[in-house]
Amino acid sequence: MFTPEMLESIKKVEATRPERMGMEPRRMTADEKDALLKAYHPDYRADGFAEIKIGPNKGQKAPAELTHLLHSNSRLLHTQVDLNKIDYDVDVLVIGGGGAGASAAIEAHEAGANVMIATKLRIGDANTMMAEGGIQAADKENDSPVQHYLDAFGGGHFAARPELLRRLVMEAPDAIHWLNRLGVMFDKDAEGTMITTHGGGTSRKRMHACKDYSGAEIMRTLRDEVLNRKIPVAEFTCAVELLKDEKGQVAGAVLLNLETDDYLVARAKTVVIATGGAGRLHYQGFPTSNHYGATADGLILGYRAGAPLLYQDTIQYHPTGVAYPAQIFGALVTEKVRSLGAMLVNAEGEAFMHPLETRDVAAASIIRECSDRQKGVDTPLGSGVWLDTPMIELLGGEGTIEKRIPAMQRMYMNYGIDMRKQPILVYPTLHYQNGGLEIGGDGFTKAIPNLLVAGEAVGGIHGRNRLMGNSLLDIIVFGRNAGKAAAARAKETTLGTANLDHVKAYAKELDAAGVASDDVSPLLLPKYARHER
């Protein structure tokens, strides 16, 4: 499966392995990390960003691909939709069927609200399903939410909104308890105690996992709970615009049925945006670990309605995406592989960084090896570095890979690569949207009454970089809280007449700024088809 050049490099990896088995590369100083990030991390590439010309974040920068969508036209600008014809009339409308959306719907239903989910693919088709490594919570005797907070705050470059991060870490143990009660099959020892491991940037072992399909197991359980409660789910139905009333309150959304191309009107007293990430926009041409529908829809909907963005210029590139073989290019190689003992090494077999640095530092380090240092391994699609997976079996004993990361082993075996005996090639992949819509600690946007946001569409929870395991945590914590808050607010809300006046106002603002576009947004689905003459 490997080229002759790759096989030659593997020999160097094997030759240096005995020496590396007894060493631990030193951690970088804060100044070294800052210099590395500024030199190599994609967030610092000026040509990858563009200025936002209108709206609450006017004058700020965002990834060029996202800015293009913010500057595009509404799908409804020249389309007549009868807003008096109500297709769905609910207390709480949840837009998005991933972990955050499902958690919100479950808790809103538990609170007695009439709730529905609208999701553009199937329920569970989300980044949640694709998460592998685990979910953090400080629930062991040698740990505490305070320590969790310090790890996450530092890992996020001290930029996280304190009220959001505090809620994340304080409610983490209860989130694990809630999931366990619902039936999530966490890894446990013979006595029934949950097994926890380290992640990059963590000072304690607080990563709870379900082997290496943690997100799939969590999503399975949440999906079953939604269906068992008979919460209505409109699948293949995406939101294309929010509705507001004359008081400025969110009043529901206009939905598009992707199977019939019909527009539908959902009237709702409160709305939860839980649309996930933006990986399928392929910022700066990077591959992505994200699911097919991750096209930043919620950011476009919220921004056009007047909700500001926060940290929209910060993206997480997971350091270990598949660099080879081509069939799984960009797929996630969970950080858990490194927490189990695999070491990142270059083409010469040299360990060039501590294996558990934070994700942004690790990604920048790999990019440096493959660019300026020219110590990357050439592949048909570019270059990468080795993740020395045989070290896992040498350190943890034979069978560790099959026991702890079986999905990863199966994925590579499909292409003739036995990661127990051969290292694997990795390179950063577009993984997580650090920035998103700005919310307060209660989950509501500050600019639009009765509009809440949960999950990856939120900005500020993690600051400018997220630690492993805190995304599966935030979808549960903020999803649950959004559902509870939405249900409570719906009881005291009286809606006026729904309108799309903000869509017309946004179009006028684009025109006044001299921004012209033939494209529409939200994108809804990525465009991969080639139209060759």
Side-chain angles (χ1 to χ4, degrees):
M1 188 66 197
F2 292 115
T3 66
E5 292 77 14
M6 292 176 189
L7 292 173
E8 196 61 35
S9 181
I10 287 177
K11 290 179 182 178
K12 297 178 181 178
V13 173
E14 293 171 340
T16 61
R17 191 177 292 148
E19 178 185 350
R20 288 186 285 104
M21 289 289 293
M23 66 173 282
E24 182 173 296
R26 74 172 182 86
R27 289 191 179 273
M28 299 180 200
T29 66
D31 288 343
E32 286 173 330
K33 291 179 182 179
D34 286 343
L36 176 73
L37 292 172
K38 289 176 182 176
Y40 298 101
H41 195 278
D43 278 358
Y44 291 87
R45 286 187 55 180
D47 59 354
F49 298 85
E51 182 184 339
I52 302 172
K53 299 293 187 181
I54 68 167
N57 295 84
K58 179 180 177 180
Q60 298 179 15
K61 69 175 184 176
E65 297 82 356
L66 177 61
T67 302
H68 176 75
L69 294 180
L70 294 173
H71 289 168
S72 295
N73 301 307
S74 169
R75 292 171 177 271
L76 302 182
L77 186 58
H78 302 296
T79 301
Q80 294 297 317
V81 177
D82 185 358
L83 301 184
N84 295 314
K85 182 181 177 296
I86 309 299
D87 298 282
Y88 304 101
D89 195 354
V90 296
D91 297 325
V92 180
L93 170 64
V94 177
I95 303 173
S103 297
I106 291 166
E107 289 291 11
H109 185 267
E110 181 69 17
N114 176 15
V115 57
M116 71 168 286
I117 296 173
T119 183
K120 68 178 169 185
L121 299 174
R122 301 164 300 179
I123 184 171
D125 287 340
N127 282 347
T128 303
M129 191 74 182
M130 305 176 78
E132 297 170 352
I135 176 172
Q136 284 203 48
D139 58 0
K140 294 293 180 72
E141 289 183 0
N142 69 332
D143 203 358
S144 74
V146 172
Q147 193 62 46
H148 188 179
Y149 183 100
L150 293 173
D151 288 347
F153 198 50
H157 301 287
F158 309 99
R161 289 292 170 89
E163 60 178 340
L164 302 182
L165 184 55
R166 180 181 182 278
R167 189 177 289 266
L168 181 78
V169 301
M170 291 299 292
E171 297 181 18
D174 185 60
I176 296 293
H177 180 65
W178 185 68
L179 290 171
N180 190 54
R181 223 170 51 239
L182 287 179
V184 171
M185 298 177 69
F186 287 108
D187 295 341
K188 299 176 182 177
D189 62 21
E191 286 73 44
T193 302
M194 290 191 192
I195 298 170
T196 52
T197 58
H198 272 300
T202 62
S203 60
R204 300 289 188 276
K205 292 182 178 181
R206 68 173 71 95
M207 202 69 56
H208 303 65
C210 313
K211 295 186 168 55
D212 60 342
Y213 40 82
S214 303
E217 171 61 9
I218 288 171
M219 194 66 244
R220 175 196 69 80
T221 306
L222 295 175
R223 182 177 55 231
D224 284 354
E225 185 69 11
V226 167
L227 298 178
N228 288 340
R229 287 173 174 266
K230 295 182 169 54
I231 296 171
V233 180
E235 295 185 315
F236 301 105
T237 302
C238 43
V240 294
E241 290 296 347
L242 296 176
L243 293 171
K244 296 167 79 172
D245 66 12
E246 67 274 15
K247 293 177 280 188
Q249 301 176 124
V250 71
V254 177
L255 310 176
L256 173 63
N257 185 312
L258 292 176
E259 296 180 302
T260 66
D261 284 335
D262 291 328
Y263 287 109
L264 307 166
V265 176
R267 185 175 185 268
K269 295 176 180 178
T270 54
V271 175
V272 180
I273 290 177
T275 51
R280 290 290 165 170
L281 298 184
H282 294 286
Y283 297 144
Q284 300 186 35
F286 271 80
T288 186
S289 62
N290 283 194
H291 82 104
Y292 189 65
T295 51
D297 295 359
L299 274 58
I300 305 302
L301 296 176
Y303 193 79
R304 190 175 282 141
L309 299 169
L310 180 64
Y311 303 149
Q312 72 281 352
D313 58 332
T314 61
I315 309 299
Q316 182 166 90
Y317 297 83
H318 196 292
T320 54
V322 176
Y324 183 83
Q327 296 94 325
I328 50 174
F329 183 60
L332 180 65
V333 176
T334 173
E335 197 167 304
K336 188 174 182 180
V337 177
R338 285 182 285 144
S339 72
L340 291 173
M343 187 176 283
L344 286 163
V345 295
N346 61 28
E348 300 301 317
E350 301 165 339
F352 55 89
M353 55 163 277
H354 191 282
L356 290 178
E357 290 286 5
T358 56
R359 286 178 172 178
D360 54 351
V361 171
S365 297
I366 292 170
I367 292 171
R368 177 190 61 189
E369 293 300 304
C370 295
S371 56
D372 284 7
R373 290 190 175 178
Q374 297 184 343
K375 291 187 177 183
V377 181
D378 290 335
T379 77
L381 295 171
S383 63
V385 298
W386 294 110
L387 187 53
D388 195 7
T389 49
M391 291 181 68
I392 296 174
E393 302 272 289
L394 295 172
L395 291 168
E398 186 176 346
T400 300
I401 287 177
E402 186 173 5
K403 180 180 179 182
R404 301 295 297 276
I405 46 174
M408 190 65 53
Q409 179 188 350
R410 287 196 301 272
M411 180 174 76
Y412 275 98
M413 287 295 284
N414 286 337
Y415 303 100
I417 297 173
D418 188 345
M419 64 187 298
R420 296 169 298 183
K421 301 175 182 178
Q422 301 162 307
I424 58 178
L425 279 167
V426 296
Y427 190 81
T429 185
L430 181 52
H431 184 59
Y432 190 81
Q433 179 179 279
N434 287 323
L437 294 165
E438 185 177 2
I439 63 170
D442 54 4
F444 288 92
T445 59
K446 297 179 178 180
I448 306 172
N450 302 345
L451 177 64
L452 304 96
V453 191
E456 196 171 343
V458 173
I461 299 173
H462 309 288
R464 293 184 168 272
N465 180 61
R466 177 180 62 79
L467 298 188
M468 172 192 180
N470 279 347
S471 59
L472 281 178
L473 176 59
D474 89 49
I475 64 172
I476 303 302
V477 169
F478 288 92
R480 293 182 69 194
N481 287 339
K484 295 172 186 176
R489 179 67 62 85
K491 293 177 182 178
E492 57 190 45
T493 296
T494 301
L495 288 177
T497 303
N499 65 68
L500 288 167
D501 292 351
H502 64 281
V503 173
K504 299 172 186 175
Y506 196 87
K508 288 181 180 179
E509 196 174 351
L510 283 172
D511 187 59
V515 179
S517 175
D518 294 328
D519 292 332
V520 295
S521 62
L523 181 62
L524 303 182
L525 295 172
K527 297 177 181 179
Y528 292 123
R530 293 181 179 177
H531 301 286
E532 298 177 354
R533 295 180 179 179

